[in-house]
Amino acid sequence: MLYRRFGKTNLRLSVFSLGTMRANASPENAWQTIQKAIVLGINHVETARGYGKSEEYLGEAMSNDKPLRVYAVGLPVPRSQVHITTKIPPTPDADTMRRYIDESLERLKLDYVDCLGIHGLNTWEHFNWVKAKGGCMQAVQEAVADGRVRHVGFSTHAPLEIILAAINTDLFEFVNLHYYYFFQRNAEAIQQAFEKDMGVFIISPADKGGRLYTPPETLKDLCHPFSPLKLNYRFLLSDPRITTLSVGPAHPNELTEPLQVAECDTELTPEEMTVFQRLENHQRAALETDKCSQCYACLPCPENINIPEVLRLRNLAVAYDMTDFGQYRYRMFENAGHWFPGMKANRCTECGECLPRCPENLDIPALLQDAHNRLNGPSGRRLWS
């Protein structure tokens, strides 16, 4: 396992972090997953107030000022060597945040957490709560002052503009965000965070990065001799601005494949670069003049359709047969609130406002209808909504 400095926190985190959202089938399953992760070298465990019983189960593995009850090579692992992050949603007032912090520490059975993330800083309203004098950050800063929180950051599913604004508040030491080979919209946020010496934590690269643990045959063939999952991990780990990647197993065995690349953070090899170029060439040929370049110039949409995201999912479905992933994400529209905002593409009224803004001269209404036909299905929701 390799370790990197988590920005100005100066914590040295394993390049993979254990996310505990899915390992909640039972206390025993959660315990076994945490145990295996630490034995394999992971030193950062992340949970959240909103992840079901995750904090409670993690707390069962903790005891204040005592070794974590995990044994690697026969030796107990001290609490000081296992970094714990929990996340709490933004609140409009300090009192609610104070209560939430107290409740999380109680469930975790800890005197302090290494990192507290404002969970889901996704809207301008959330941003204003964070910026407000006497708001939720007052309670967070009090917890930092009395030692119950060591470092503060935020996690986000927000549009790029909100992410950049939050980074530029200088209130945070790290950021958790989406960024993958198949979604590079947040590249500017990665650079901005790096320039401010913030730790960068990539959310769910296997799942939100394309459901790459179950890739379609077309994508597997294009990525040969590598797996799509390994290529995405290499794309991220080859970037020195990124500190750590989330791995979120439902059970211990799901840790095996991701950690095969836990010591591969060198620059991309010529062979890997050739495969990435092959993917680009194939997408260009498959989509021809219907390729959305993700410039976001088409927004805002009067019907609140997230046009670029809908067309990104269509790009992936058409070019790489990533229809399963596209359907999984598309079904979240209208069902996941601010975590995945926007209306489905069939809401398009063909008003035409987006057409003159598009530098590719795409027939956006027609592509939206095609995307809806390909990707629509039963409604989806977030796991812990």
Side-chain angles (χ1 to χ4, degrees):
M1 180 67 67
L2 297 173
Y3 301 84
R4 290 180 175 177
R5 176 177 171 272
F6 196 37
K8 64 185 74 173
T9 72
N10 284 319
L11 298 173
R12 290 197 65 79
L13 301 188
S14 46
V15 293
F16 282 92
S17 293
L18 179 68
T20 58
M21 183 171 71
R22 296 175 64 234
N24 285 313
S26 68
E28 182 65 20
N29 179 70
W31 166 242
Q32 290 174 356
T33 304
I34 294 165
Q35 182 181 47
K36 182 169 184 178
I38 293 175
V39 168
L40 292 172
I42 289 176
N43 73 347
H44 180 219
V45 182
E46 188 212 37
T47 182
R49 175 184 176 85
Y51 289 174
K53 292 190 174 183
S54 175
E55 287 184 326
E56 180 182 331
Y57 290 167
L58 180 54
E60 292 302 315
M62 300 290 178
S63 183
N64 291 324
D65 302 321
K66 295 178 182 178
L68 182 67
R69 297 194 303 276
V70 174
Y71 288 79
V73 201
L75 298 174
V77 179
R79 161 72 178 97
S80 61
Q81 293 180 22
V82 180
H83 305 304
I84 306 299
T85 293
T86 196
K87 304 188 298 296
I88 296 175
T91 63
D93 61 275
D95 285 343
T96 302
M97 180 59 74
R98 289 188 189 99
R99 176 166 58 85
Y100 285 176
I101 292 171
D102 290 342
E103 290 172 353
S104 286
L105 288 171
E106 182 178 356
R107 282 192 290 265
L108 288 164
K109 300 182 179 179
L110 293 175
D111 288 332
Y112 73 93
V113 289
D114 300 274
C115 297
L116 174 67
I118 302 300
H119 191 197
L121 203 168
N122 295 337
T123 69
W124 286 115
E125 181 180 43
H126 296 154
F127 177 80
N128 290 332
W129 290 351
V130 163
K131 284 284 290 177
K133 186 176 181 180
C136 60
M137 291 305 291
Q138 177 178 321
V140 172
Q141 289 158 357
E142 289 168 359
V144 172
D146 64 26
R148 291 177 298 144
V149 170
R150 300 288 173 86
H151 305 286
V152 181
F154 71 100
S155 72
T156 182
H157 297 229
L160 177 60
E161 296 75 17
I162 296 176
I163 300 175
L164 294 174
I167 289 171
N168 284 318
T169 63
D170 293 323
L171 291 169
F172 303 109
E173 298 171 87
F174 65 89
V175 58
N176 302 5
L177 78 171
H178 295 281
Y179 176 73
Y180 325 106
Y181 174 71
F182 291 118
F183 178 76
Q184 298 181 40
R185 170 67 175 169
N186 289 335
E188 185 180 351
I190 298 283
Q191 181 60 27
Q192 193 93 312
F194 175 73
E195 290 173 2
K196 287 185 172 289
D197 196 24
M198 293 172 66
V200 175
F201 179 113
I202 301 300
I203 300 170
S204 187
D207 186 64
K208 305 304 186 295
R211 277 199 164 179
L212 300 177
Y213 42 81
T214 55
E217 289 300 319
T218 298
L219 186 59
K220 287 197 287 187
D221 291 344
L222 287 166
C223 292
H224 184 77
F226 310 103
S227 73
L229 182 60
K230 181 177 179 180
L231 269 178
N232 191 45
Y233 284 145
R234 285 287 295 127
F235 171 78
L236 296 168
L237 291 176
S238 67
D239 189 334
R241 302 172 301 175
I242 293 169
T243 308
T244 187
L245 317 179
S246 172
V247 56
H251 52 77
N253 292 340
E254 290 184 357
L255 284 164
T256 303
E257 185 176 2
L259 299 194
Q260 290 175 356
V261 295
E263 296 186 3
C264 302
D265 70 342
T266 55
E267 292 183 358
L268 293 173
T269 66
E271 191 174 18
E272 289 167 337
M273 293 174 69
T274 296
V275 173
F276 283 124
Q277 188 59 57
R278 184 192 306 155
L279 288 166
E280 291 295 313
N281 292 343
H282 183 83
Q283 183 185 63
R284 191 177 302 112
L287 290 163
E288 297 181 327
T289 58
D290 288 342
K291 179 178 180 292
C292 172
S293 62
Q294 298 289 285
C295 69
Y296 280 63
C298 54
L299 296 181
C301 168
E303 302 304 322
N304 196 31
I305 299 168
N306 188 340
I307 298 171
E309 182 63 8
V310 171
L311 296 189
R312 180 181 78 93
L313 297 176
R314 182 186 181 277
N315 282 354
L316 298 178
V318 172
Y320 306 124
D321 290 338
M322 292 172 69
T323 303
D324 177 67
F325 171 68
Q327 290 175 343
Y328 160 57
R329 296 302 284 164
Y330 186 80
R331 290 195 294 263
M332 295 285 183
F333 287 125
E334 304 183 25
N335 292 288
H338 59 76
W339 296 97
F340 198 63
M343 307 303 287
K344 290 186 176 181
N346 63 330
R347 305 283 186 171
C348 177
T349 62
E350 301 187 31
C351 69
E353 285 193 20
C354 56
L355 295 175
R357 303 188 201 131
C358 179
E360 311 292 332
N361 295 315
L362 298 178
D363 185 351
I364 292 175
L367 294 177
L368 290 176
Q369 185 59 55
D370 181 73
H372 183 77
N373 292 341
R374 291 173 184 271
L375 304 177
N376 192 41
S379 297
R381 65 175 184 87
R382 298 185 72 248
L383 182 59
W384 296 110
S385 59

